[in-house]
Amino acid sequence: MKFLFDFFPLILFFVVYKIGNGNEAAALAIAEQYLGGMVSGGKILAEQAPTMLATVVAIIATVLQVGYLLARRRKVDGMLWVSLFVIVVFGGMTIYLHDETFIKWKPTIIYWIFAAALLVSQLFFGKNLMRKAMEEALPLPDALWPRVGYTWVVFLFLLGALNLLMAFVIYRDNMAAWVNFKVFGMTAIFFLFTIAQSMLLMKHIPQEEA
């Protein structure tokens, strides 16, 4: 259930984009009706409409996520606040300038912000955010946690760089292919890395804890 909640905006972005991409005329009509007054120049091209509609839905979904947690008086974690800020800013620029470049940058910005937060907190404040997030499930020796933190810094930086490579080089002129990679490829890489790292770290758990 938490998985669906966390990926709610991404799932909706994918679904709306795919529907719009398969029905460009209808997507353009909806975009012109509801977004025409929000874009620079007031003119939306048919090929731009699916991305713009999907971006609007992702922004609304992320706002609803935060609103739901606040209404239930639950903690909104830092990364969700970051996601909200980035999707509003970069999604807003995507819509206003009707330019898919900005939404393509969004995953990279989020990954690099998180990587920077991990690095700065560990180097300058002596706080290991990955330990805080993972220690309950993986009670590792103290000496191992700095390595775990730096591993995540490198991984998130490389994942952000990979997104740029796919968005602006490999799939530069193919928005649909990048959307597929973003939803399935990057999500798979993230989960495979998490699982692989957890399996490697299990052998370092003290025997009495295991």
Side-chain angles (χ1 to χ4, degrees):
M1 196 67 182
K2 188 178 185 302
F3 173 86
L4 291 177
F5 180 81
D6 291 341
F7 284 85
F8 180 58
L10 181 62
I11 294 169
L12 287 185
F13 179 92
F14 176 76
V15 170
V16 172
Y17 178 82
K18 286 300 180 181
I19 293 174
N21 196 45
N23 301 273
E24 277 194 354
L28 178 60
I30 295 172
E32 288 181 332
Q33 180 178 355
Y34 294 102
L35 303 178
M38 300 169 58
V39 303
S40 174
K43 179 65 175 177
I44 302 172
L45 300 179
E47 61 268 23
Q48 297 169 338
T51 301
M52 296 180 66
L53 292 177
T55 300
V56 169
V57 169
I59 292 173
I60 294 172
T62 307
V63 171
L64 289 176
Q65 274 186 318
V66 174
Y68 172 81
L69 292 174
L70 292 176
R72 297 292 298 271
R73 297 187 177 182
R74 295 182 182 178
K75 181 182 179 181
V76 180
D77 64 55
M79 283 311 298
L80 184 52
W81 283 118
V82 171
S83 295
L84 176 63
F85 173 78
V86 174
I87 188 63
V88 168
V89 173
F90 283 78
M93 293 172 71
T94 296
I95 295 166
Y96 178 70
L97 298 174
H98 36 94
D99 187 344
E100 64 192 27
T101 297
F102 299 100
I103 201 65
K104 286 181 175 180
W105 266 93
K106 174 188 167 285
T108 295
I109 296 299
I110 290 177
Y111 288 135
W112 284 359
I113 287 176
F114 193 25
L118 291 176
L119 184 62
V120 170
S121 63
Q122 189 162 313
L123 281 179
F124 299 104
F125 298 99
K127 295 182 179 180
N128 191 314
L129 299 182
M130 294 311 303
R131 179 172 186 169
K132 183 177 179 181
M134 299 170 61
E135 189 171 27
E136 186 174 340
L138 289 171
L140 301 172
D142 292 343
L144 198 60
W145 282 111
R147 191 190 313 172
V148 173
Y150 290 128
T151 299
W152 273 93
V153 170
V154 173
F155 170 70
L156 291 171
F157 176 81
L158 292 177
L159 193 58
L162 176 62
N163 175 63
L164 295 183
L165 175 66
M166 302 303 287
F168 298 108
V169 179
I170 306 299
Y171 297 137
R172 180 180 57 187
D173 300 316
N174 192 338
M175 182 67 179
W178 175 78
V179 169
N180 288 334
F181 170 75
K182 175 178 181 287
V183 174
F184 298 108
M186 295 188 72
T187 301
I189 291 170
F190 190 91
F191 276 103
L192 288 174
F193 173 81
T194 303
I195 293 169
Q197 187 191 51
S198 298
M199 293 177 65
L200 289 173
L201 292 174
M202 287 290 290
K203 64 182 180 181
H204 296 286
I205 297 177
Q207 192 63 37
E208 60 272 17
E209 294 287 352

